[in-house]
Amino acid sequence: MMDALEHRKLTEALLALRKEQYMSLIRAMIKTYRGNGYSRDKLSRVQKDRLKELVRYARENSPFYKGLYKNIGEGFSLEDLPPVSKPELMANFDHVVTDRHVTMERIDEFCTDPDHVGRMLDGKYLVFRTSGSTGNPAVVLYDKNCIDVSSAVAAFRTFARHEDYKAFMRHGKKTAGVFANYGFYLACGMSRYLQLKMPRQQTKITVDVNAPEAQIIQELNAFDPAMLSGYPSNLALLADYDELTIHPDVVITGGELLTDNVRRKLKDKFGCYVQTHYSCTEAGEIACECAEGHLHINEDWVIVEPVDQDNRPVGYGVLSDKVLITNLANYIQPFIRYELTDRIIVHHEKCRCGKNTLWLEIEGRTDDTLEFENGVKIAPMSLYKILEEKKCIRRFQLIQTGARRLELRLVSDQKEPGFAEAKQALLAFFMSKGVEDLDIVLSDQPPQANPVSGKFKHIYRAEKTEKTGDGSLS
Ligand SMILES: [Zn+2]
């Protein structure tokens, strides 16, 4: 059922388009708006229909998928389709895409010009590259439909609470994102695309996450945004500065896991609601947060399968080893049962917010699972909790630099005592997991974000590669 506010959202979105003939966007808006009210049965029918259509299109237009599905009959179900991985799709890029004029060679050429960020290749496709902070970046194309669905989902599902949306509208929709403001990243590319489309609507700025803090603070203060977005780790750092005096209506983080501690810290600093969402370049907007703090899957546009190492479904309420995603909106570069390394738990319990969609929890997001001799694996979340509990530690970063060696980067109120305490707690924990003879050293470096993407990992393995999908240590 639509209430008055929902009506207004739709009317406003459509009015904003009145002078333009964006039929594709209007169609995406209407479909997405309707999707908000679908029952579970209807969602499952819509998923099946959209999957069938995408697979038909992929088979007809992508030599890669045609070959991959050669033994798949017409009456297939999702589980019959073989999963695909990033190395596989990138190695076969020219055969994966559904437009024979598009090649990796042409994209490489296109991307040499930074002015092409947010502009369309052949007037048809936006080109994105993932940060690839732990390995090779992925190249991802969005066709018009995929762009429009992203915009529609953003318009209708971004805000967890109606009151924040109302305040945001009242304050002129001024949005500041602290991201990498250059390069072919999703946030940067989409934001430039919209700016180029609507040059007179300057309600959005991107502040370079890698700029000096003083400059970021000055730009944010001067713009005075109604919505602040950015990576939680970076916003938490900025929150330490008294000089930052903005009062946004809402803070929306992305790109990394938003922990309860950081959520509280940002709420205290900015005095507003703090929320997150779950997206990636390949799948688009996977899940949006509701007022209950649950991440609801956008099931009408993306299929999310939590699976174990061997791609078997793990079921509801169980932590997965990885996720298979199917982007139902992208026809130029189909991602069908595509492996993501995120670990999630999918819930089917009815949420008190009233939405019918499944919701999920994410573990660790961008952090790595550490691996030791004799096959012991340690999930990042347990280490995160140990280090976060140490009150004297303000920031940390734990890096596995060898089979038996860890390096701890710290910013603490008193450096040495913080390290000794953390080291002891970590060694005790590793011992309990059967990892002995570990060397944990204090780094002379402070914690650092990836110098290119600006994304921060609390826990990672050095020299991890994504070529094999599971990484290796030298
Ligand atoms: Zn909910």
Side-chain angles (χ1 to χ4, degrees):
M1 286 297 109
M2 327 178 184
D3 61 19
L5 185 77
E6 290 290 335
H7 254 302
R8 220 184 95 203
K9 279 191 195 177
L10 181 65
T11 315
E12 271 160 0
L14 294 177
L15 275 178
L17 302 168
R18 67 189 185 281
K19 287 183 188 160
E20 318 249 5
Q21 300 192 344
Y22 289 167
M23 285 315 292
S24 146
L25 179 53
I26 291 170
R27 272 196 300 272
M29 287 273 181
I30 291 170
K31 280 184 187 172
T32 305
Y33 179 74
R34 286 188 181 146
N36 288 347
Y38 285 162
S39 66
R40 291 233 44 81
D41 278 354
K42 177 74 181 172
L43 276 168
S44 128
R45 280 201 302 278
V46 166
Q47 269 195 344
K48 274 204 188 97
D49 291 348
R50 289 185 183 164
L51 175 70
K52 213 172 156 189
E53 182 56 24
L54 177 66
V55 167
R56 185 194 62 74
Y57 190 85
R59 284 175 116 145
E60 281 172 15
N61 298 284
S62 156
F64 172 84
Y65 280 106
K66 186 180 180 187
L68 191 68
Y69 296 161
K70 64 178 184 293
N71 296 321
I72 308 282
E74 278 300 310
F76 69 90
S77 64
L78 180 65
E79 297 73 30
D80 298 332
L81 307 174
V84 293
S85 66
K86 177 162 91 176
E88 199 178 0
L89 291 197
M90 287 306 115
N92 295 289
F93 184 88
D94 294 359
H95 291 115
V96 170
V97 291
T98 55
D99 180 339
R100 302 275 63 77
H101 299 292
V102 174
T103 62
M104 189 60 101
E105 199 184 336
R106 287 191 59 220
I107 286 174
D108 284 342
E109 161 90 44
F110 183 81
C111 291
T112 54
D113 184 350
D115 187 51
H116 285 160
V117 172
R119 295 189 192 275
M120 287 181 142
L121 175 74
D122 297 342
K124 292 184 195 165
Y125 314 117
L126 281 181
V127 178
F128 301 114
R129 277 175 162 165
T130 62
S131 59
S133 48
T134 58
N136 299 328
V139 171
V140 180
L141 303 182
Y142 277 26
D143 51 27
K144 186 71 169 62
N145 181 58
C146 193
I147 298 167
D148 292 339
V149 167
S150 297
S151 302
V153 170
F156 294 127
R157 300 182 189 166
T158 297
F159 289 85
R161 307 192 313 173
H162 283 178
E163 56 263 48
D164 299 326
Y165 173 75
K166 281 196 272 187
F168 171 72
M169 293 305 286
R170 216 170 34 241
H171 295 139
K173 301 189 281 179
K174 287 169 77 178
T175 307
V178 187
F179 295 110
N181 73 343
Y182 47 85
F184 290 82
Y185 300 126
L186 180 65
C188 176
M190 277 299 270
S191 137
R192 182 138 196 269
Y193 167 78
L194 294 172
Q195 264 168 17
L196 291 166
K197 273 242 165 296
M198 295 176 276
R200 279 188 302 173
Q201 250 200 7
Q202 295 299 352
T203 57
K204 230 176 179 172
I205 62 162
T206 306
V207 180
D208 183 8
V209 66
N210 292 316
E213 266 99 6
Q215 189 188 326
I216 297 178
I217 290 165
Q218 193 245 320
E219 284 182 46
L220 290 176
N221 284 343
F223 186 70
D224 191 23
M227 185 214 285
L228 174 67
S229 57
Y231 308 128
S233 59
N234 187 256
L235 295 183
L237 268 183
L238 293 172
D240 284 333
Y241 289 85
D242 294 336
E243 294 85 347
L244 183 62
T245 54
I246 55 172
H247 298 285
D249 299 307
V250 64
V251 172
I252 302 186
T253 73
E256 305 163 356
L257 180 73
L258 174 64
T259 61
D260 290 343
N261 270 6
V262 170
R263 203 189 280 260
R264 261 195 306 274
K265 182 175 180 179
L266 298 177
K267 182 172 180 278
D268 289 347
K269 167 71 183 178
F270 298 110
C272 68
Y273 195 70
V274 178
Q275 59 165 97
T276 187
H277 65 126
Y278 175 37
S279 68
C280 72
T281 313
E282 295 93 324
E285 198 66 24
I286 299 172
C288 298
E289 198 175 299
C290 73
E292 298 293 321
H294 291 155
L295 286 165
H296 284 268
I297 301 172
N298 291 310
E299 287 181 86
D300 45 351
W301 292 117
V302 59
I303 303 176
V304 173
E305 300 173 76
V307 293
D308 68 11
Q309 278 304 342
D310 302 317
N311 293 323
R312 287 175 304 215
V314 297
Y316 295 125
V318 179
L319 182 65
S320 72
D321 288 316
K322 50 187 179 173
V323 188
L324 302 179
I325 60 98
T326 299
N327 183 343
L328 296 169
N330 191 339
Y331 276 64
I332 173 59
Q333 186 181 5
F335 289 94
I336 303 170
R337 305 197 84 208
Y338 174 80
E339 287 181 18
L340 292 180
T341 51
D342 294 335
R343 292 156 63 90
I344 64 165
I345 299 173
V346 173
H347 294 270
H348 69 299
E349 301 91 329
K350 177 85 183 155
C351 180
R352 280 188 300 183
C353 74
K355 288 184 174 40
N356 293 322
T357 42
L358 303 173
W359 49 279
L360 57 80
E361 289 176 84
I362 312 165
E363 192 202 67
R365 190 68 224 267
T366 54
D367 290 337
D368 293 344
T369 293
L370 303 188
E371 291 185 24
F372 298 90
E373 288 170 338
N374 59 35
V376 179
K377 289 184 183 177
I378 306 285
M381 196 45 93
S382 36
L383 299 169
Y384 191 96
K385 281 186 176 138
I386 290 169
L387 290 165
E388 211 182 35
E389 271 171 16
K390 304 285 164 232
K391 294 293 170 225
C392 55
I393 298 178
R394 287 181 54 214
R395 294 175 57 217
F396 66 85
Q397 193 168 41
L398 183 66
I399 306 150
Q400 184 175 16
T401 51
R404 289 197 182 145
R405 192 170 180 281
L406 295 172
E407 203 177 288
L408 189 56
R409 292 174 175 170
L410 284 184
V411 174
S412 63
D413 299 329
Q414 305 148 296
K415 204 165 189 177
E416 266 312 308
F419 175 65
E421 216 182 298
K423 181 176 173 177
Q424 200 182 9
L426 286 172
L427 285 176
F429 175 77
F430 280 114
M431 192 91 87
S432 76
K433 299 288 176 189
V435 182
E436 297 182 13
D437 301 325
L438 260 192
D439 191 16
I440 302 181
V441 296
L442 178 64
S443 168
D444 54 3
Q445 303 283 318
Q448 287 160 27
N450 179 291
V452 182
S453 70
K455 282 194 190 180
F456 183 83
K457 287 181 169 214
H458 284 96
I459 294 155
Y460 69 91
R461 288 192 286 158
E463 294 166 58
K464 183 175 179 260
T465 74
E466 285 187 14
K467 283 202 183 86
T468 55
D470 58 3
S472 59
L473 286 167
S474 58

